[in-house]
Amino acid sequence: MKIINPATEDVIAEVELADAAEVDRAVERARAAFASWRATAPGDRARLLRRFAQVVDDHAEELARLEVAGAGHTIGNARWEAGNVRDVLDFYAGAPERDHGKQIPVPGGVDVTFQEPLGVVGVIVPWNFPMVIMMWGVAPALAAGNAVIVKPAEWTPLTALRLAELALDAGLPEGVLQVLPGAGEVAGSRLVEHPDVAKIVFTGSTEVGRIIGAKAAAGVKRVTLELGGKSANIVFADADLDRAVASAPMAVFDNSGQDCCARSRLLVQREIYDEFLDRLARAVREVRVGDPLDPATQMGPLVSAEHLARVASFTGPEVTPYARGACPDGPGYWFAPTVLAAPPGFDPLSRTGDPEFRRAYEEEIFGPVVTAIPFDGEEHAVRLANATPYGLSGSIWTGNVGRALRMARAVEAGNLSVNSHSSVRYWTPFGGFKQSGLGRELGPDALAAFTETKNVFISTE
């Protein structure tokens, strides 16, 4: 398969895609490697993961530039991503020696629990944050003693392949971490269905997540699913408007809007709605879209021609943008940052009003498009925020601490920020409510998702 640079449309690599038979062979290699990897002393496993983190750090610029070329990320974002890969490995390198069980008081003996690794874990990675999301699954799975097979997205396999090479350079045993590029319908499907794969970690669309969940259920296979989002950015009249306006563009346009946590529904209290949109329009026109290798660039291209066509379908000739920024002409999959404001008569709760705007407001666009509507008070804001099948992330802007806490408890989402748009920290759990997924990644308890609890009773009578 040809790998295309989204900013130039140049072919930068050709990658052979694995078929189902190659997946089977990879699983056999992983099963063989698992036996010795699980038996590796926790301290030795920890040292290897720390060495892997150091090797990643030594190659951080190489990885960042590979992500710029393969995924169209800005160089600033890509450097952060390479650093995040290193940091996640470092964080979970501390876990093997702290993967404690419990001693439970019982009559007649001693009761203890052990956290046993699952075996072979499949990690199916999306194209929007290839190396970062790969490592969210890989690092805790390896720390827990599992062997891992990664199936990267077809469009963006380059950093995953390089990370597998760096893992071997760091001393991880052969077969403990494998990367298999392949089509989702072939390699991904076989990985999900294979009886010797104990768990699947999938990040991607809710539609595909449902299919994976159903296939995994047939074999009682464990899953972690991080799926779609349509997150709300809720701005109250008592918020610091300068900060709220300044941060709103990149809350949705970062990574060209290709982010499941993007705050793509902007809910603004009616008293400040017109002022906020006027100021937002000026901020959007100043977003710098262009060469991803320029450190001043804030937004690069979309990932592919196919995805560009899909995003463009939400802002066709029947939709009049409230504001639109600029983007380069010529080669590349460019789309200007765009604001759509609710037309008169639009009510998402009764589902009345312009159907074209409603489609953009309700569906996950996964591009640099934000829809804005007004609200009246806390109760209305909560109803609007929750009127979606998704529940991944969101932001609440207010100067009232009590209101912030009330809203944070009432909004149905797994990751909320107050006066901030931050969603992901590797120290804290990440995952969604409703159709945004099952399970949690990251945080101090991530190893629980990659182990089984074994209970052992020892009689003293």
Side-chain angles (χ1 to χ4, degrees), residues 97-163:
E97 296 168 289
R98 297 169 178 79
D99 195 14
H100 302 142
K102 297 177 182 179
Q103 183 272 313
I104 303 172
V106 296
V110 175
D111 198 274
V112 295
T113 65
F114 299 93
Q115 296 306 118
E116 304 285 11
L118 300 174
V120 179
V121 173
V123 178
I124 300 176
V125 181
W127 49 258
N128 59 324
F129 289 103
M131 61 177 165
V132 168
I133 293 177
M134 167 183 166
M135 201 52 63
W136 292 358
V138 166
L142 292 178
N146 300 283
V148 181
I149 299 172
V150 175
K151 206 294 286 183
E154 295 96 308
W155 293 336
T156 56
L158 300 183
T159 46
L161 289 164
R162 185 62 179 132
L163 283 166

Side-chain angles (χ1 to χ4, degrees), residues 1-84:
M1 178 169 177
K2 292 183 168 86
I3 308 302
I4 297 172
N5 183 323
T8 64
E9 301 185 46
D10 293 332
V11 176
I12 57 173
E14 290 199 32
V15 174
E16 185 175 349
L17 300 183
D19 59 13
E22 180 54 35
V23 173
D24 290 347
R25 290 190 288 271
V27 173
E28 285 301 310
R29 292 191 293 269
R31 287 183 65 200
F34 167 64
S36 58
W37 182 244
R38 72 174 300 181
T40 301
D44 292 335
R45 213 183 304 146
R47 277 187 285 276
L48 284 168
L49 291 176
R50 289 191 186 98
R51 194 179 305 159
F52 188 10
Q54 183 58 59
V55 172
V56 166
D57 196 42
D58 293 342
H59 293 80
E61 185 66 15
E62 174 196 349
L63 287 166
R65 289 181 175 271
L66 204 55
E67 207 74 296
V68 171
H73 293 190
T74 63
I75 188 63
N77 277 12
R79 285 170 175 155
W80 175 89
E81 289 157 25
N84 185 261

Side-chain angles (χ1 to χ4, degrees), residues 415-438:
N415 305 272
L416 292 168
S417 297
V418 176
N419 298 330
S420 166
H421 295 301
S422 174
S423 289
V424 181
R425 296 174 179 82
Y426 58 83
W427 308 276
T428 60
F430 176 76
F433 284 23
K434 300 189 284 189
Q435 293 189 33
S436 285
L438 296 172

Side-chain angles (χ1 to χ4, degrees), residues 6-9 289-291 301 308 324-336:
T8 64
E9 301 185 46
V289 183
D291 180 5
L308 173 61
R324 177 169 275 170
C327 65
D329 296 321
Y333 309 127
W334 304 100
F335 194 89

